Amino acid sequence: MNEIVLDNTKRGDFRQCKMKYYLRHVRGLQPNYGSTAIRFGVAWHGIMEGYYGWVIEHGFPNNKDERVAAMEAGLILGLQKYEAETKKKEYIDDYKNFNTAAEAFAAYLTWSAQDLTFMEILHTEKVFDHQLLPESVGEEELMSKLPSIRFTGKIDLCLNMDNQVWIQDFKTTAWILSQAVLKSNRSPQLIGYSYAADKAFGFNVNGCLILFCHLSAYKSKKTGEYGSPKFEFRRVPQVYSPGDITAWKLSFLDTVREIVYCTETGFWAESFDNCY
């Protein structure tokens, strides 16, 4: 094995269950049924990419015609991604559909109406492909026994807010929002993106903002139908220390070390704690 290319999805699957990683990323197997939550997230990311792509080109909309054009850019790209995701798998539909995503977008535009007074959008979705190099004696010793490693991913947004540069990640959740916020503080994805941000953009980034879109809907026990969805938004800053970054990188390298072992031995253990 001369090189390993690892993103956060593959890393997370391996940490959850080595056999899951093997089946999904080595054998290329996928379930027939898809997750409506994941499909909603794909649509939401598409909406945000289309909308903020328009903002980068034209600036924040400040009249009716511009607002319509910006909304249209977001909805068109979001629908394209939603339909593409729908074609991949079968779904048991619920309230997390594109109509709900469009409603959430309208609510988000109202919630974020004052952003134009203190925010400048610098970049929309940015793909990075970073070659990991040792930055300490411990990392050099560990990496000397490993193949070349490339860390890849996609940063949702880069913005200047109150004269500070941040990356922003869009999260959709139906979980208890306060719990989702607390959990994000130790998110390996966000710590990894904070590490990669300076290298991806070529300038220093203060930290990471997580833009949560929380959605929920009541399901009638009598009819089985969902009521009108409700939305809540929260923008949460996360600043990671050099110690956090160092610990994340060592954990990432340790995952690579285990992947190499499993690949060489052909032994992919099942995790009975996480998979069922």
Side-chain angles (χ1 to χ4, degrees):
M1 182 181 295
N2 297 320
E3 183 179 60
I4 283 186
V5 181
L6 198 62
D7 60 18
N8 187 67
T9 298
K10 293 180 180 179
R11 182 211 58 79
D13 283 348
F14 186 84
R15 291 265 61 98
Q16 186 182 45
C17 177
K18 297 178 177 64
M19 178 58 72
K20 179 178 180 178
Y21 174 94
Y22 171 73
L23 294 174
R24 177 173 289 182
H25 302 293
V26 179
R27 294 289 303 279
L29 301 180
Q30 296 291 330
N32 292 329
Y33 282 90
S35 162
T36 57
I38 291 176
R39 183 176 61 173
F40 182 92
V42 169
W44 183 251
H45 277 75
I47 289 172
M48 294 292 101
E49 181 184 359
Y51 172 71
Y52 283 112
W54 191 96
V55 170
I56 286 175
E57 186 174 353
H58 304 283
F60 279 100
N62 52 26
N63 60 54
K64 182 178 179 180
D65 289 341
E66 289 182 353
R67 284 192 288 271
V68 169
M71 288 183 67
E72 186 177 60
L75 291 172
I76 287 174
L77 185 57
L79 181 58
Q80 289 174 351
K81 297 203 171 187
Y82 180 87
E83 290 178 338
E85 196 71 14
T86 299
K87 292 177 182 178
K88 294 178 183 178
K89 297 177 181 179
E90 300 176 56
Y91 290 88
I92 300 174
D93 289 321
D94 56 20
Y95 72 97
K96 295 183 286 292
N97 52 38
F98 186 76
N99 288 339
T100 301
E103 289 183 50
F105 182 37
Y108 171 73
L109 291 177
T110 300
W111 178 83
S112 62
Q114 296 304 310
D115 283 1
L116 58 84
T117 63
F118 57 83
M119 184 181 295
E120 177 189 3
I121 307 302
L122 303 178
H123 294 277
T124 186
E125 288 199 350
K126 175 81 170 181
V127 175
F128 64 86
D129 187 335
H130 175 62
Q131 183 82 39
L132 289 186
L133 298 173
E135 299 172 85
S136 68
V137 174
E139 289 181 8
E140 186 170 6
E141 181 179 355
L142 180 56
M143 294 181 72
S144 67
K145 303 170 186 175
L146 299 174
S148 174
I149 306 164
R150 283 165 42 210
F151 174 43
T152 65
K154 183 164 60 178
I155 295 172
D156 291 340
L157 204 69
C158 183
L159 56 88
N160 187 314
M161 186 173 70
D162 293 331
N163 297 315
Q164 292 186 326
V165 178
W166 301 79
I167 59 172
Q168 180 165 283
D169 195 71
F170 298 109
K171 296 290 185 189
T172 58
T173 183
W175 198 32
I176 300 170
L177 186 53
S178 60
Q179 295 299 312
V181 169
L182 287 172
K183 187 177 179 182
S184 69
N185 181 251
R186 291 293 294 173
S187 167
Q189 177 194 14
L190 299 179
I191 299 176
Y193 285 6
S194 295
Y195 166 78
D198 293 352
K199 300 161 182 63
F201 294 111
F203 50 75
N204 292 332
V205 174
N206 287 82
C208 181
L209 299 171
I210 307 106
L211 196 290
F212 286 98
C213 169
H214 179 269
L215 65 155
S216 61
Y218 174 76
K219 184 177 183 180
S220 171
K221 295 180 180 179
K222 292 183 178 180
T223 66
E225 297 294 324
Y226 287 96
S228 299
K230 297 180 180 179
F231 311 105
E232 184 179 353
F233 304 97
R234 196 175 299 178
R235 187 182 285 129
V236 180
Q238 297 288 6
V239 178
Y240 300 106
S241 69
D244 293 329
I245 300 292
T246 297
W248 166 85
K249 190 177 178 185
L250 286 173
S251 176
F252 191 89
L253 294 174
D254 188 56
T255 299
V256 172
R257 179 186 62 81
E258 291 189 51
I259 291 174
V260 170
Y261 172 81
C262 292
T263 302
E264 291 178 345
T265 62
F267 176 60
W268 305 86
E270 298 178 37
S271 174
F272 288 89
D273 294 291
N274 297 316
C275 285
Y276 52 89

